Amino acid sequence: MAKCGGCGPGYATPRDAFLSKSIEKIVYIPCIVLDKSRPDYLVTVDVNPSSPTYSQVISRLHFPYIGDEIHHTGWNACSSCYDNPERSRSRLIVPGLGSDRIYVVDVKTDPKNPKLDKVVEPWEMHKFGVSTPHTTHCLADGDVMISTLGDGPEKNGKGSFLLLDGETFKPKGTYCKDGETLPFGYDYWYQPFHNVMISTEWGHPRCFFGGLDLAHVEGGSYGTHLNVFDWTERKLIQKIDLGKEGVMPLEIRFLHDPKATEGFVGCALFANVFRFFKTADGSWDAEKVIDIPNKKVDGWILPEMPGVMTDIILSMDDKYLYFSNWLHGDVRQYDITDTRNPKLVGQIFLGGSILKGGPITVTHDTELSVQPEVRYAKGKRIYGAPQMLQLSLDGTRLYVTTSLFGPWDKQFYPDMVEKGSMLFKINVDTKNGGLQLDNDFLVDFGDEPDGPVLAHEVRYPGGDCTSDIYLNNTSHLSKI
């Protein structure tokens, strides 16, 4: 057992995180005000069962501007800096997908009451020719990198990566040395042990901000590629076309093991999971390993309804994969011990578009014999459907929110927009598989003091399964 002695944030290895017995006490969640009548804000939710304010919002940080559409968040420092005792997970980076503004939030001074520290204004991003910031990861060198999806105020598709100085948080340039860009951007994950970064593609911001139009999909306004970069040279070296079945490859997750040569990406529209992997010749490839069938329906905009897989997550021990089918309304758990042949071991429906007695009738379903029943949590009907996922480090608690993206929420789940989204906690069987709704936990964002809001991504102050990237060179500091 090695001792660290004044290490940086997070954990030395994924195994350390998994075995740490660390239990999240609070979580941070961005809340979107869709009608832009007031600013978006960041809530702190008490998730400590022994606390008198358990399952309640305990603080709200209202941002100063209107129309930010805050979405995903990330850290200024995480486990990739574990070997640097001078680094601290002190700031939550909160990009505005709609405004091109980036908020830097102090979560160290008073973790239960975050405070706004700095604001990066839109023009500071636009001067580098990028916009629509999405995924934030901290880098081992101290800087912060944010994926960007647009080319500026015009909101055409353009995939790039904005670098922020880790001390001042001022934009300092883009990741690619030669200014190389992609047609589309979205999520990314880097793996220094194999000198690789892989990014995904959503579509033209000017298209998806107007709602989902299948004519835009057919017209090529949404991406289908995984983009492979040489991490140290900062150059695009390969593009993997997933084809029509892989349209809208969104969340990408390497296995947490820093030596892993594979991972998974969820392709939204047709609800497919692709496994990506390193080949014998050193290139990268991908294969479809999960395919959620469409359901034939009456009463909907199309004769068949795809799942629309909107989030995926891997447990810290790399044993289970979870994803949400936002239109069908279920969360699924797969055993990925054999990464090429995932095995379904858990499933739960929480809302969705195919509920029994609703306006949509399922006429043919290769998976279900009956339509799911309306679900309730703590006596309240669930509107919308499972969307963002966050898993506890030990894998036993899965937090789920129901909002995807304001314009799409309004299009597909207007009742949820009117009534507000929800936060659930699902108890996970990590031995045999299985998902069970925790009926003692619910945060109903329809009950917010100033009216309903749409809550999105969940973050733990100590790091979680999607914000931290692990490096092999910190493994010698393991406490296990």
Side-chain angles (χ1 to χ4, degrees):
M1 180 181 292
K3 291 192 176 180
C4 185
C7 292
Y11 298 89
T13 68
R15 178 175 170 79
D16 284 10
F18 179 71
L19 297 177
S20 68
K21 306 300 182 184
S22 175
I23 300 175
E24 63 284 354
K25 302 293 179 61
I26 58 174
V27 297
Y28 303 124
I29 307 177
C31 293
I32 296 90
V33 178
L34 186 56
D35 66 5
K36 302 181 182 180
S37 60
R38 49 197 169 92
D40 297 344
Y41 56 97
L42 183 76
V43 298
T44 307
V45 176
D46 187 337
V47 295
N48 180 2
S50 63
S51 169
T53 54
Y54 176 61
S55 188
Q56 296 177 32
V57 174
I58 58 174
S59 73
R60 298 170 181 85
L61 171 60
H62 295 271
F63 293 113
Y65 297 96
I66 289 174
D68 287 312
E69 183 89 29
I70 57 177
H71 194 64
H72 285 208
T73 64
W75 300 106
N76 69 309
C78 67
S79 295
S80 65
C81 326
Y82 184 75
D83 59 351
N84 186 347
E86 296 182 358
R87 301 297 305 281
S88 170
R89 197 191 303 261
S90 63
R91 298 293 185 272
L92 185 66
I93 312 300
V94 186
L97 193 67
S99 67
D100 302 340
R101 191 174 285 112
I102 301 169
Y103 296 110
V104 180
V105 176
D106 177 0
V107 295
K108 183 178 182 180
T109 302
D110 183 355
K112 292 185 177 180
N113 293 279
K115 303 298 180 186
L116 182 60
D117 181 27
K118 297 179 181 179
V119 180
V120 177
E121 296 292 352
W123 65 264
E124 298 180 76
M125 181 182 301
H126 294 167
K127 73 177 183 180
F128 293 103
V130 298
S131 67
T132 323
H134 189 267
T135 297
T136 301
H137 282 302
C138 81
L139 306 183
D141 65 5
D143 286 342
V144 173
M145 191 161 83
I146 305 176
S147 64
T148 55
L149 286 59
D151 63 350
E154 295 78 16
K155 298 288 187 179
N156 295 305
K158 178 181 177 181
S160 188
F161 308 90
L162 184 70
L163 294 171
L164 304 184
D165 183 277
E167 296 293 332
T168 66
F169 300 104
K170 291 291 185 182
K172 58 187 293 185
T174 54
Y175 164 76
C176 291
K177 289 181 179 178
D178 57 3
E180 188 171 28
T181 61
L182 303 164
F184 306 108
Y186 189 72
D187 195 22
Y188 73 98
W189 198 280
Y190 64 86
Q191 181 51 280
F193 186 77
H194 298 288
N195 191 37
V196 70
M197 177 178 79
I198 304 180
S199 73
T200 62
E201 302 180 336
W202 190 3
H204 288 296
R206 57 178 166 78
C207 292
F208 58 69
F209 269 98
L212 177 58
D213 185 339
L214 293 181
H216 291 156
V217 176
E218 295 168 359
S221 293
Y222 287 88
T224 62
H225 289 83
L226 301 183
N227 303 289
V228 183
F229 291 81
D230 182 301
W231 177 240
T232 55
E233 291 296 322
R234 303 184 179 188
K235 293 182 70 67
L236 179 68
I237 57 174
Q238 190 180 349
K239 292 177 71 69
I240 303 171
D241 189 356
L242 303 179
K244 184 178 179 181
E245 288 191 312
V247 69
M248 296 187 212
L250 297 184
E251 312 299 338
I252 186 168
R253 317 293 186 204
F254 255 98
L255 296 184
H256 291 289
D257 178 356
K259 291 186 177 181
T261 56
E262 59 185 329
F264 299 90
V265 60
C267 298
L269 186 58
F270 297 113
N272 295 317
V273 175
F274 280 76
R275 167 184 171 262
F276 62 88
F277 55 95
K278 192 175 184 178
T279 67
D281 67 7
S283 64
W284 293 79
D285 203 350
E287 60 180 353
K288 185 176 67 172
V289 292
I290 301 174
D291 187 339
I292 305 303
N294 292 350
K295 300 180 187 298
K296 293 184 179 180
V297 294
D298 285 336
W300 197 58
I301 57 175
L302 295 172
E304 293 191 10
M305 179 186 290
V308 181
M309 182 186 299
T310 52
D311 197 16
I312 70 169
I313 192 169
L314 303 181
S315 60
M316 290 302 305
D317 61 350
D318 291 332
K319 181 179 180 180
Y320 293 113
L321 177 151
Y322 303 81
F323 62 76
S324 52
N325 285 314
W326 191 61
L327 280 189
H328 290 174
D330 59 318
V331 176
R332 303 193 185 200
Q333 176 192 24
Y334 284 78
D335 186 324
I336 53 170
T337 303
D338 178 355
T339 56
R340 298 195 69 181
N341 295 283
K343 179 182 177 183
L344 179 65
V345 293
Q347 183 178 24
I348 186 171
F349 278 84
L350 299 171
S353 298
I354 57 167
L355 296 176
K356 186 177 180 181
I360 298 169
T361 300
V362 178
T363 59
H364 181 71
D365 192 332
T366 59
E367 295 185 310
L368 302 177
S369 58
V370 296
Q371 293 181 229
E373 298 282 350
V374 171
R375 289 294 300 264
Y376 294 82
K378 294 183 74 171
K380 294 188 175 184
R381 177 172 173 166
I382 297 171
Y383 292 93
Q387 207 286 104
M388 289 305 298
L389 309 174
Q390 191 54 265
L391 190 66
S392 61
L393 294 179
D394 67 359
T396 62
R397 298 171 298 283
L398 183 67
Y399 294 91
V400 182
T401 59
T402 52
S403 169
L404 170 59
F405 171 59
W408 293 24
D409 290 350
K410 185 177 180 180
Q411 180 179 1
F412 291 102
Y413 291 114
D415 286 345
M416 181 189 68
V417 171
E418 178 186 350
K419 299 177 184 301
S421 67
M422 291 179 168
L423 170 68
F424 313 109
K425 184 170 76 171
I426 295 173
N427 295 321
V428 180
D429 183 337
T430 58
K431 182 178 181 181
N432 302 306
L435 305 173
Q436 181 70 44
L437 182 66
D438 185 335
N439 288 307
D440 294 325
F441 183 94
L442 173 71
V443 180
D444 183 355
F445 289 95
D447 292 338
E448 282 294 277
D450 296 321
V453 294
L454 302 172
H456 195 60
E457 189 183 42
V458 178
R459 284 277 175 247
Y460 309 153
D464 48 55
C465 292
T466 55
S467 62
D468 282 35
I469 292 176
Y470 291 82
L471 307 188
N472 186 62
N473 62 9
T474 61
S475 60
H476 69 287
L477 299 171
S478 173
K479 299 177 182 179
I480 303 300

